[in-house]
Amino acid sequence: MGYKNNNTGYLDGLLQSRAVIKKNNFAILPHDGLVNNVIPGFKNCDCSILGSKQIGANFVDYIITMKKDGENSRGFGGEGVETLVYVIEGTLEVRDDQQTHILTSGGYAYFPASQLMYLKNAQEEPTEIFLYKKRYQPLAGYDAHQVIGQVQDIEPVHYEGMEDVLLWDFLPKDLGFDMNFHILSFEPGASHGYVETHYQEHGAYLLSGQGMYNLDNDWYPVEKGDYIFMSSYVQQAAYAVGRGEPLSYVYSKDCNRDPEI
């Protein structure tokens, strides 16, 4: 085990953390304090488990740094589990049993629950990825399919009509998909138009900037490298603060399904 930011030994000053854990409600995991986990199938990789059922999520999120020759040749997902990978920085090789795709920073790949995902660092330098998995909820008459893309090729929309808040949707609006991935970006000074309260849950990784995030009607400082879990019905909203850089995060959302009784 080791800290993701490679800070080891004694720190100057008191031990402290911005982490806030409210199981089955919300959590903030700052980049300071994340530890490396051994996950079968990943070689030459520093892996930190973020969201999971132990915190109340119906999915699992990871932040992974794939070092030189880093890979997962065992296969990730499949057997009823859908997966998505997003490249934060670097170059990634993603393949199934037949095709290979090369993704650069901003690239993503969604694999349906019927396919194993194989991953490999495609450069000498480290590649950092955000990785997601969830058990797929089938819907009669509909199926999900593989989606490969680059965020740079997606036309963003003004989130709820606000010109300084941009939204990128990764997946099609198709009932075959029981989830979607997005990037939401707030220019400094921008915010949500209201405090949201909804059934869907999120796992969000902050790609840039600084802000204040409302979770369960309390405000918390957040910044690039932080992870936020938001459960169903927890109040949520963001203000972007800082200078010269938007508050931007990639996040998942369950969708297109009726809640079970």
Side-chain angles (χ1 to χ4, degrees), residues 23-48:
K23 289 187 176 180
N24 302 310
N25 190 6
F26 72 89
I28 300 172
L29 304 182
H31 43 92
D32 285 330
L34 291 182
V35 300
N36 295 328
N37 307 118
V38 175
I39 301 175
F42 287 91
K43 298 179 181 179
N44 296 322
C45 295
D46 291 338
C47 306
S48 290

Side-chain angles (χ1 to χ4, degrees), residues 27-188:
I28 300 172
L29 304 182
H31 43 92
D32 285 330
L34 291 182
V35 300
N36 295 328
N37 307 118
V38 175
I39 301 175
F42 287 91
K43 298 179 181 179
N44 296 322
C45 295
D46 291 338
C47 306
S48 290
I49 300 170
L50 302 172
S52 70
K53 69 177 182 179
Q54 282 78 6
I55 211 167
N58 290 303
F59 53 82
V60 182
D61 285 329
Y62 312 77
I63 186 70
I64 298 176
T65 299
M66 308 185 81
K67 296 178 284 190
K68 185 177 183 295
D69 299 323
E71 65 176 350
N72 185 325
S73 58
R74 177 176 178 170
F76 183 73
E79 298 185 356
V81 175
E82 60 190 336
T83 56
L84 190 143
V85 62
Y86 174 77
V87 182
I88 296 173
E89 185 174 2
T91 306
L92 181 71
E93 177 184 296
V94 182
R95 66 176 178 88
D96 55 28
D97 290 328
Q98 297 180 329
Q99 292 183 307
T100 298
H101 307 273
I102 300 297
L103 304 177
T104 56
S105 302
Y108 62 92
Y110 167 85
F111 277 28
S114 59
Q115 291 183 324
L116 283 172
M117 176 184 286
Y118 301 92
L119 304 166
K120 185 176 181 179
N121 184 8
Q123 63 179 23
E124 294 290 311
E125 299 79 17
T127 289
E128 187 174 38
I129 62 173
F130 183 66
L131 189 62
Y132 166 97
K133 71 177 182 182
K134 186 179 82 68
R135 188 158 297 280
Y136 180 65
Q137 296 176 272
L139 181 65
Y142 297 90
D143 291 297
H145 57 82
Q146 188 179 110
V147 178
I148 310 293
Q150 290 279 153
V151 169
Q152 297 89 331
D153 298 329
I154 301 173
E155 185 69 27
V157 299
H158 293 145
Y159 184 67
E160 298 191 344
M162 295 180 287
E163 292 187 0
D164 51 0
V165 185
L166 297 179
L167 177 73
W168 290 258
D169 290 329
F170 288 16
L171 301 179
K173 290 178 169 55
D174 181 328
L175 290 180
F177 296 89
D178 68 343
M179 51 75 65
N180 204 337
F181 251 74
H182 317 272
I183 288 178
L184 192 56
S185 182
F186 301 84
E187 291 298 320

Side-chain angles (χ1 to χ4, degrees), residues 162-166 185-193 210-212 219 237-242 245-247:
M162 295 180 287
E163 292 187 0
D164 51 0
V165 185
L166 297 179
S185 182
F186 301 84
E187 291 298 320
S191 71
H192 283 88
Q210 296 177 322
M212 296 295 295
W219 289 94
Y239 275 105
V241 300
E245 186 176 53
L247 174 67

